[in-house]
Amino acid sequence: MRIVIAECSVDYEGRLRAHLPRATRLLMVKNDGSVLIHSDGGSYKPLNWMSPPCSLSITAAEKLSETEREDYDSDLHELWTVQAAKSDDKLLLKIYSVQHEYSQDLGHDPGLIKDGVEADLQRLLAEQIETLGEGYTLIRREYPTAIGPVDILARDAEGTTIAVELKRVGDIDGVEQLTRYLDLLNRDPLLAPVYGVFAAQKIKPQARTLAEDRGIRCQVLDYDAMRGVDDSAGRLF
């Protein structure tokens, strides 16, 4: 991982346009290719980011053509261009000064250890895979990939591969995680096409909107009913 504290401005170009004016920010460049821009506020979420697969190219200001330099301030130090691999989306980071820079290999990460409820949801859904739909069959739990294990890999009644991401509360980060898994799994000709199901006890509206926009199906799970604690079929309301 590369950590850079720099005075910069940021422009996002793609389906939407966004601009971050010149200020001092924390830039994170991860080994998976992602680039994240943070401020000293706003909790844990970055101000803007580019998820992999993408590429980063860095051009020193003196290497820019005279025409290109006219578009930037005279004290520009570097221009970072982060280009998405599967779309025209890109981030342009104009670096004016670098206060601190540090690189560190973090090594292998074992991943998140799920709490009791998430672990139980995974086990119960694997045992009751037809909760997702009639004719569904389980391939395996914790299907390994280069970027971490997929909670559940299954097949629907037509034999199409389905990747399932499980959460207690489904938020945007969970949708992004499943999107990364789908991008990777769909490169495997033995599995493709692979479709996603985002399953949780509760799914936030913003997460549902993002998931459905990306063709990912959302499914709310009744944890008590799956455990046999609550007979939901016998309720009046």
Side-chain angles (χ1 to χ4, degrees):
M1 178 183 289
R2 181 182 177 196
I3 301 292
V4 180
I5 297 176
E7 185 181 4
C8 64
S9 65
V10 183
D11 289 282
Y12 171 80
E13 298 179 0
R15 289 168 291 179
L16 301 172
R17 288 180 175 269
H19 174 68
L20 293 172
R22 185 169 174 172
T24 300
R25 299 186 176 90
L26 168 66
L27 312 177
M28 298 175 63
V29 182
K30 296 186 178 182
N31 282 340
D32 65 2
S34 56
V35 177
L36 302 94
I37 300 101
H38 287 270
S39 66
D40 197 11
S43 187
Y44 65 93
K45 289 191 175 180
L47 298 169
N48 214 326
W49 70 93
M50 184 72 77
S51 300
C54 60
S55 60
L56 168 63
S57 62
I58 299 176
T59 306
E62 58 268 21
K63 296 292 182 66
L64 296 170
S65 67
E66 289 186 10
T67 303
E68 290 173 319
R69 287 188 201 180
E70 291 176 358
D71 295 331
Y72 307 116
D73 294 334
S74 59
D75 58 342
L76 180 72
H77 174 59
E78 289 179 338
L79 179 65
W80 292 16
T81 303
V82 188
Q83 178 66 57
K86 296 187 176 182
S87 70
D88 293 330
D89 293 4
K90 65 181 176 181
L91 282 173
L92 294 175
L93 291 83
K94 305 173 188 70
I95 311 297
Y96 296 99
S97 65
V98 176
Q99 284 80 46
H100 179 76
E101 183 170 351
Y102 178 74
S103 295
Q104 175 69 49
D105 184 359
L106 301 183
H108 173 70
D109 191 302
L112 180 69
I113 305 300
K114 295 182 182 294
D115 66 21
V117 172
E118 277 193 32
D120 276 350
L121 276 172
Q122 186 188 106
R123 175 182 58 82
L124 289 167
L125 187 57
E127 293 170 355
Q128 305 169 34
I129 196 65
E130 288 201 349
T131 301
L132 298 177
E134 186 176 351
Y136 272 64
T137 57
L138 177 69
I139 297 176
R140 68 166 289 176
R141 294 168 56 187
E142 298 288 330
Y143 184 85
T145 77
I147 58 174
V150 178
D151 286 335
I152 288 179
L153 203 67
R155 287 196 178 91
D156 66 13
E158 286 73 43
T160 303
T161 308
I162 307 294
V164 184
E165 179 63 27
L166 284 162
K167 300 292 182 187
R168 277 195 306 164
V169 178
D171 59 14
I172 284 177
D173 287 344
V175 177
E176 293 286 3
Q177 184 180 358
L178 179 54
T179 299
R180 292 193 293 271
Y181 288 142
L182 291 172
D183 283 343
L184 192 64
L185 292 170
N186 272 300
R187 298 178 207 172
D188 186 341
L190 297 178
L191 295 175
V194 184
Y195 295 95
V197 173
F198 190 51
Q201 289 178 272
K202 178 183 177 181
I203 299 175
K204 294 183 178 180
Q206 300 94 329
R208 182 180 292 275
T209 298
L210 180 62
E212 291 175 351
D213 182 65
R214 295 181 176 180
I216 295 170
R217 177 161 66 90
C218 293
Q219 180 140 350
V220 175
L221 300 175
D222 188 330
Y223 179 51
D224 287 336
M226 293 173 73
R227 290 190 300 160
V229 172
D230 180 15
D231 182 9
S232 59
R235 295 184 200 150
L236 291 176
F237 48 84

